[in-house]
Amino acid sequence: MFFQVASTCRSPDDAKCRSASQAQQSQLSKRLIHFSVQSFVALFRGMAMTRTVDWRTHVNLKLLNTFLLVGEAQSFRGAADRAHRSGSAVSSQIRKLEDQLGVALFHRTTRQVRLTQEGEQLLVCVRRALHDIEEGLQQIQESADIQRGRISLACAPTVAGTRLGSVLAAFEQHYPGIRVSVREITAAALFESVRQREVDFGISVVIDSPEFRFQRILTDPLFALVPRSRLPRDRKTVSLQTLSAMPLLLLEQGTALRKIVEDAMAEQGLTVQTRYQFIQAQTLISMASAGLGAAVLPNIVIPEQLDPSVQKLRIVDPPLARDMAIVTLPGQALSPAASRLIELLQQLMSGA
């Protein structure tokens, strides 16, 4: 039983994949080695050592692999054939292991090789530990090949309810073994989730903060849905000053969209007259259609077919838009699966 972790990046230039894969392999390998060492500690403490041995600094997987081959074959020659090594080299490694442990692992005669009691104990432990390591390395391999794994992300409701579904469907079609969980939350909660590493990444508006890293995926202009009862004449645009004279329908406090509107109004010296505030964009559209005020919304959530009682007007003077981005922490290493999902998000949402 021998182990090797192969390179899983699609090309030699895929630095992002190599970095993420190496970081993940290193982390899991440390856990596997720790687990295996604990298994060996439990065994060796139960052995009757003939002298004090600091085996932790000497015993390695190479010696244990050789021991396993000899123990299963009950033959130095058979183990040497399986390892494609000379019999003397195998015998030398077994003597080295026995010397380091301070116990004999085999009864040797001219006709046969048989495990001692301590050797039988060690064989059980080595089989179990090497099986765990092999299983762990297989999991690393499958994760790096994007065959298995988990991704957790947080997303702005306006994106989750419009564009995210098609991206996740495309991702699931190509990578059915990856489990993706989504948290649909406001910007304030999203940034806190990224900060606390509760999610792998977020999808939200770009803010001026060095605490986070932003990879832009789309620029989304803001529009006002204005009841014709308040602006009867057909038009294409509306100014912030005109909107400030109307009751505004906005998303609740804590949303990035709400902050964009309030900041823009403040810069113009205008007062926000908020009559109602809601959580869902669709509710704002319904309220505007009922004539209760002007709803300010990003373009991606506004349907093509609107109630004839409202006009969709681009906000100008100044024009308002929001930049949506992938949100991570600076220097954060993502798994290959998470990196691939981000690539899909950039590809499929950039045309929004």
Side-chain angles (χ1 to χ4, degrees), residues 45-224:
R45 281 177 177 172
M47 287 185 175
M49 299 295 186
T50 58
R51 56 188 174 88
T52 302
V53 179
D54 186 12
W55 56 269
R56 294 176 183 83
T57 61
H58 299 286
V59 175
N60 55 49
L61 288 180
K62 185 177 181 180
L63 294 180
L64 294 174
N65 264 311
T66 302
F67 166 76
L68 181 63
L69 292 176
V70 177
E72 291 181 337
Q74 296 287 294
S75 165
F76 286 99
R77 182 183 297 276
D81 291 341
R82 290 180 60 187
H84 304 291
R85 306 188 65 189
S86 67
S88 59
V90 170
S91 180
S92 175
Q93 286 193 316
I94 296 300
R95 284 196 301 270
K96 183 177 181 181
L97 179 61
E98 289 176 324
D99 184 62
Q100 290 170 359
L101 298 180
V103 295
L105 299 174
F106 294 96
H107 296 294
R108 299 167 175 84
T109 68
T110 56
R111 294 186 177 182
Q112 65 176 357
V113 175
R114 185 167 51 87
L115 285 164
T116 64
Q117 181 179 353
E118 291 79 12
E120 290 176 351
Q121 289 180 283
L122 181 59
L123 183 63
V124 172
C125 180
V126 169
R127 280 174 172 162
R128 181 173 62 248
L130 294 185
H131 170 76
D132 290 340
I133 292 175
E134 184 177 36
E135 189 176 71
L137 292 177
Q138 179 65 29
Q139 292 175 5
I140 294 175
Q141 186 79 55
E142 292 176 351
S143 176
D145 287 340
I146 320 183
Q147 296 178 14
R148 291 175 56 187
R150 295 183 180 182
I151 303 172
S152 175
L153 67 96
C155 186
T158 52
V159 175
T162 56
R163 302 298 176 90
L164 185 61
S166 59
V167 178
L168 293 181
F171 184 82
E172 183 177 300
Q173 183 178 2
H174 289 89
Y175 308 105
I178 304 298
R179 295 179 59 186
V180 181
S181 62
V182 180
R183 299 179 62 187
E184 184 181 5
I185 51 180
T186 62
L190 184 147
F191 285 115
E192 183 62 22
S193 293
V194 173
R195 182 183 293 112
Q196 298 299 326
R197 298 182 183 271
E198 295 172 352
V199 294
D200 295 305
F201 63 89
I203 305 173
S204 187
V205 68
V206 175
I207 62 174
D208 184 17
S209 172
E211 186 179 3
F212 302 99
R213 177 173 178 261
F214 298 94
Q215 297 172 262
R216 284 174 170 80
I217 54 177
L218 68 91
T219 297
D220 192 15
L222 302 189
F223 285 78

Side-chain angles (χ1 to χ4, degrees), residues 223-250 261 265 270-276 287-289 291-296 309-316:
F223 285 78
L225 297 185
V226 182
R228 293 186 183 276
S229 59
R230 299 184 182 277
L231 285 178
R233 183 171 59 86
D234 287 342
R235 56 173 69 193
K236 298 292 185 182
T237 62
V238 64
S239 68
L240 271 183
Q241 185 171 6
T242 301
L243 285 175
S244 68
M246 304 179 192
L248 293 182
L249 305 172
L250 299 174
V261 175
M265 288 281 197
L270 303 173
T271 302
V272 179
Q273 298 184 44
T274 306
R275 189 169 181 180
Y276 300 102
M287 295 300 168
S289 300
L292 294 175
V296 178
S309 64
V310 297
Q311 298 184 71
K312 176 184 175 182
L313 307 178
R314 176 72 186 270
I315 299 175
V316 296

